[in-house]
Amino acid sequence: MERNIQEVLLTEAQIKDRIAELGEILSAEYRDKNPIIIGVMKGVVVFYADMIRKIAVPCEMDFMWISSYEGTDSTGSVIVKRDVSAEIKGRHVLILEDIFDTGNSLSFVYDHLMAKEPASLKICTLLDKPSRRKPGVTLKADYVGFTIPNAFVVGYGLDYNEYYRNLPYVGILKPEAYT
Ligand code: 5GP
Ligand code: MG
């Protein structure tokens, strides 16, 4: 597995430190708001488990599972495989994501949850690749772990064909590992 990694982009220690910083910020933001924290499956699960333990205020956990399908026109449509189970109307909701890339998935999730009329809706993404954003996507993440260059990364929950999610760091995959 590790021999297919070209470069470690973010070490375990870097990720841990950044999550602790975000934890301070999110704990202050959500004090007395009893938020529902929604993870977008599956890529977020590792980040989610670490992040939630640094949010030191009462909160609820929930998950949504989506799938993206790239059409031939590459508009990229998204479907809900599993919706949230909590009633979010009137609640403060925080979305946790692994990576904000073209913005297709997050825009979809944001609109989908917004339609349920939460009291507030914010986004925290571990990774942001702004250079990949599709024109027309105006959505912004409220909290970003790391802004990264335009490279395909794996590990810490992120996969290539379902593998590498269990690497403890974020790494760039060697091009030859794609074939
Ligand atoms: P979007 O393009 O809609 O912003 O991101 C869609 C999904 O593509 C992300 O949630 C993530 O699962 C996947 N993705 C985007 N960039 C990368 C990447 O660099 N590595 C991996 N493993 N997945 C990515
Ligand atoms: Mg994802």
Side-chain angles (χ1 to χ4, degrees), residues 78-90:
V78 179
I79 58 153
V80 178
K81 291 179 87 166
R82 187 231 183 242
D83 205 350
V84 287
S85 53
E87 171 69 72
I88 69 167
K89 186 172 180 165

Side-chain angles (χ1 to χ4, degrees), residues 40-44 97-99:
V40 185
M41 306 259 272
K42 293 186 266 189
V44 82
E97 246 291 32
D98 52 356
I99 187 163

Side-chain angles (χ1 to χ4, degrees), residues 12-85:
E12 280 187 79
Q14 283 176 300
I15 297 169
K16 184 168 183 266
D17 289 351
R18 184 64 184 134
I19 287 176
E21 286 173 4
L22 285 173
E24 303 262 332
I25 296 166
L26 293 172
S27 300
E29 170 66 30
Y30 287 101
R31 201 167 308 284
D32 304 318
K33 288 188 177 162
N34 190 29
I36 300 181
I37 301 178
I38 297 180
V40 185
M41 306 259 272
K42 293 186 266 189
V44 82
V45 294
V46 179
F47 173 50
Y48 192 103
D50 285 342
M51 190 68 253
I52 196 105
R53 284 176 288 172
K54 296 293 175 196
I55 301 176
V57 301
C59 60
E60 289 178 44
M61 296 172 53
D62 207 343
F63 298 92
M64 166 172 197
W65 191 358
I66 57 165
S67 235
S68 316
Y69 289 107
E70 280 294 302
T72 45
D73 57 356
S74 82
T75 49
S77 60
V78 179
I79 58 153
V80 178
K81 291 179 87 166
R82 187 231 183 242
D83 205 350
V84 287
S85 53

Side-chain angles (χ1 to χ4, degrees), residues 104-117:
N104 260 332
S105 315
L106 261 180
S107 299
F108 175 87
V109 168
Y110 186 87
D111 292 346
H112 177 82
L113 295 176
M114 209 57 188
K116 298 177 189 281
E117 301 176 30

